């Protein structure tokens, strides 16, 4: 279940809003131009299932989103616990950046936190199984998968080369609560 926290971009010490109410999460993110949906989840997908099995389990919603939003392809990314290069993988997404296309991700299993820097606010949305988030092109954001990531997600692309990140150079991400502060998970 998703949890949204909204901060002033100058004061990460206190969230102005914190809610797990799906209607409130959806409405607040919509005000920032962000699509958030909850998709029904089928029975548990085995950890050993390949990417095609994951895509097949969500074939209907994946096809509908691709058509509605102009995505040309989708793939599956898995981050199992205990990866030896977890710190480097995490660091690759922690800098504030933008993309020239929408970034859409559906969480099949596990969780991660997106931080959206919109106007003078930072929206932290912790997504879990069943959550779809689509961030509009050129929206400043970063992603935190935590110190010991664990998630499976379907990613959607409009370009064949996928998302190309343009780092903003702002160190804002260094000031905000990390993913583990929401989940209570520690390294």
């Amino acid at each position: 279940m998703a949890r949204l926290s909204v901060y002033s971009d100058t004061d990460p010490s206190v969230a102005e809003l914190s809610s797990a109410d799906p209607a409130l999460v959806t409405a607040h993110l919509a005000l920032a131009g962000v699509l958030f949906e909850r998709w029904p989840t089928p029975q548990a997908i085995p950890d050993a299932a390949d990417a095609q099995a994951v895509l097949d389990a969500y074939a209907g919603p994946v096809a509908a989103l691709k058509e509605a939003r102009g995505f040309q392809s989708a793939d599956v990314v898995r981050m199992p616990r205990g990866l030896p290069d977890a710190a480097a993988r995490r660091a690759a997404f922690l800098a504030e950046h933008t993309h020239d296309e929408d970034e859409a991700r559906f969480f099949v299993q596990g969780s991660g936190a997106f931080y959206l820097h919109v106007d003078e606010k930072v929206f932290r949305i912790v997504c879990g199984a069943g959550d779809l988030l689509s961030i509009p092109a050129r929206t400043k954001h970063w992603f935190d998968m935590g110190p010991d990531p664990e998630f499976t997600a379907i990613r959607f692309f409009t370009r064949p080369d996928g998302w190309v990140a343009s780092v903003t150079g702002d160190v804002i991400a260094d000031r905000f609560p990390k993913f583990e502060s929401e989940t209570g998970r520690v390294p």
Side-chain angles (χ1 to χ4, degrees), residues 74-88:
D75 74 2
V76 175
V77 61
R78 286 184 186 268
M79 297 293 293
R81 282 197 186 275
L83 291 173
D85 62 345

Side-chain angles (χ1 to χ4, degrees), residues 43-180:
Q43 69 273 9
I45 298 171
D47 289 342
D50 66 8
Q52 191 58 54
V54 173
L55 290 170
D56 289 348
Y58 291 95
V62 165
L65 186 68
K66 285 169 70 176
E67 183 171 332
R69 307 287 284 209
F71 293 115
Q72 300 300 307
S73 63
D75 74 2
V76 175
V77 61
R78 286 184 186 268
M79 297 293 293
R81 282 197 186 275
L83 291 173
D85 62 345
R89 289 180 186 227
R90 180 186 196 188
F93 301 101
L94 283 177
E96 184 186 72
H97 60 277
T98 64
H99 304 285
D100 288 336
E101 68 175 290
D102 291 0
E103 178 171 355
R105 191 171 293 177
F106 172 72
F107 282 81
V108 173
Q109 174 271 330
S111 57
F114 280 92
Y115 298 73
L116 315 173
H117 188 189
V118 179
D119 297 324
E120 295 177 351
K121 302 286 183 200
V122 171
F123 296 76
R124 177 174 69 172
I125 178 76
V126 175
C127 295
D131 293 333
L132 168 77
L133 189 68
S134 184
I135 303 167
R138 292 172 287 291
T139 300
K140 294 183 280 186
H141 67 282
W142 63 95
F143 177 68
D144 188 354
M145 63 182 81
D148 190 15
E150 179 183 29
F151 68 86
T152 301
I154 299 173
R155 304 180 302 175
F156 297 83
F157 303 96
T158 54
R159 296 169 26 162
D161 57 348
W163 303 305
V164 177
S166 297
V167 177
T168 67
D170 191 333
V171 295
I172 188 169
D174 296 341
R175 297 192 313 263
F176 277 81
K178 298 293 184 234
F179 174 60
E180 58 270 23

